[in-house]
Amino acid sequence: MGKENEIIVPLKILLEEHDEEKVKTLLNSFSCSKNLEVENFLKNSAILFEKLNKSRTYLIFKRGTTDILAYFTLTISILKIVDDDVSKKTLKKLDGISKEKREFPVYLIGQLGKNDKFWNEISGKEILEKAINLIYKANEIVGGRVILIETLNNEKPIKFYEENGFKILQKRLDKKVDKNTGKEIIAEYVQMYRII
Amino acid sequence: MLPPKKVNVLYEIKNVTNYVISIFKNFTNICFFHHNFPQPKKFKKVKYYLIKLFICLIIINSYRVITMATLLEEGICIIKDKKVAERFLKDLENPPKTDWREIRKRIKQIEKELEEGEEWAKKMKL
């Protein structure tokens, strides 16, 4: 499917133009069985995060319809180096002024996922391209040097991001309890970055 | 983002909290809803405090679930490993060459797409 068949809508605009309950119902039509976190975020947190200005969610619709093909969420985050042995010379070179600065502002692609129902109608590359283009837009206004993503530690998504210029930063483990089922979920994530 | 050790500790807290909640549930069931159970006057105060404690436990429980979160929810990414930090800083020191003309085209394209999207959002019938 080409660009002419899809349309990108900020969730913020949808909330301004329509009743919140109706938007919620629309978001509930999204499903992503490959990554339930992606699905749950859109259904349970996206609106709240939008209201709190914590992140911005963009929905990609099939043109002329209310079918959500995919979505992604962008935000700003911080990457912090806590190891004291890191070369101060390097830190100063990067910051330009301070050799003590160990925190870097980063753009975070917090969520990115396709709808099960329209899996073949949009490619991951197209979604990522839109997300990165929006980051470029933000970069033109406020600067910034790093894009960060976090994905499940599976070969396929890692390969996908590597093909699109991302490098592995580090891995992390996470344990949580599913609010709906009460079951324990243990997930291993991979954090990846791309320098702008 | 929490280190695995801290994750484990918090997870234990969660388990203990669940256990305590289940005990309280059974206890309150027996005390307050069983007709044969003696209920002296002072018990009213106890009942009040027990309910308060029960609510607190539920709040702690839900907070823990929020604490275990994705990077998006946590808002900070911590690098503890020196090698990882050095590798990242080295990359940052030598950024790839960027074709800003191409990027400006992409920005214009996405701006156009967003404009269309906003128009569609207004027309959309939900």
Side-chain angles (χ1 to χ4, degrees), chain A residues 76-131:
Chain A
I76 33 177
S77 181
I78 292 166
L79 196 144
K80 189 177 180 181
I81 296 168
V82 291
D83 194 304
D84 290 333
D85 294 338
V86 172
S87 158
K88 289 189 174 179
K89 203 177 164 186
T90 316
L91 289 171
K92 191 176 177 182
K93 217 190 239 180
L94 292 170
D95 185 63
I97 300 165
S98 171
K99 58 184 176 186
E100 299 297 331
K101 211 166 191 182
R102 294 165 181 277
E103 291 176 7
F104 300 88
V106 293
Y107 295 106
L108 175 70
I109 302 177
Q111 302 287 354
L112 190 148
K114 284 201 267 181
N115 194 345
D116 284 342
K117 287 176 208 163
F118 311 102
W119 195 259
N120 295 320
E121 298 197 28
I122 189 164
S123 70
K125 198 179 167 110
E126 281 175 273
I127 310 165
L128 186 63
E129 204 174 90
K130 286 185 199 299

Side-chain angles (χ1 to χ4, degrees), chain A residues 8 18 37 77-80 82 93-94 130 133 137 145 150 167-168 170 172 175 184 191 193, chain B residues 1 8 11 68-71 75 77-79 87 89 91-93 106 111 113 117 120-121 124:
Chain A
I8 182 167
H18 300 277
E37 232 161 55
S77 181
I78 292 166
L79 196 144
K80 189 177 180 181
V82 291
K93 217 190 239 180
L94 292 170
K130 286 185 199 299
N133 287 351
K137 192 179 176 228
R145 300 172 72 183
E150 188 176 67
K167 286 182 181 177
I168 292 176
Q170 59 186 3
R172 76 160 181 134
K175 272 185 185 181
E184 176 189 316
Q191 293 167 347
Y193 69 98
Chain B
M1 194 179 65
N8 288 336
Y11 203 72
M68 307 284 97
T70 59
L71 196 52
C77 169
I78 296 172
I79 302 178
R87 186 162 34 87
L89 291 173
D91 264 3
L92 207 55
E93 234 181 314
R106 288 172 68 169
E111 280 173 343
E113 284 180 44
W120 173 238
M124 207 181 264

